[in-house]
Amino acid sequence: MEKHNALKRRRTEELSEALLVNCPQKRGQHEEQARAYAKIIDAVSRKKRELSMSQRS
């Protein structure tokens, strides 16, 4: 859970940074990084659910 929270924090930081940056190229880089974090968070969450389901069976 700690890793999940850290990833969410990093994603939020990237989105915040994207809002503050004036350069469109830099903004795009921060937004892309935030999307990458979102994909990782989704994969970690999915894996956690799968593990939880397999332990119940």
Side-chain angles (χ1 to χ4, degrees):
M1 190 65 167
E2 185 176 320
K3 187 173 190 175
H4 186 267
N5 289 337
L7 289 168
K8 285 178 78 173
R9 256 191 326 275
R10 295 288 303 267
R11 178 181 175 271
T12 303
E13 289 170 5
E14 289 294 336
L15 288 173
S16 296
E17 192 67 29
L19 292 173
L20 297 175
V21 174
N22 290 330
C23 175
Q25 184 178 7
K26 287 285 188 184
R27 184 180 312 120
Q29 289 173 348
H30 286 292
E31 290 171 347
E32 182 62 34
Q33 189 67 38
R35 281 191 289 276
Y37 279 121
K39 289 179 182 179
I40 295 168
I41 291 166
D42 186 48
V44 168
S45 296
R46 189 177 333 108
K47 192 70 171 174
K48 189 186 295 185
R49 283 192 305 271
E50 290 171 0
L51 210 75
S52 169
M53 295 295 277
S54 69
Q55 288 176 350
R56 291 180 189 171
S57 300

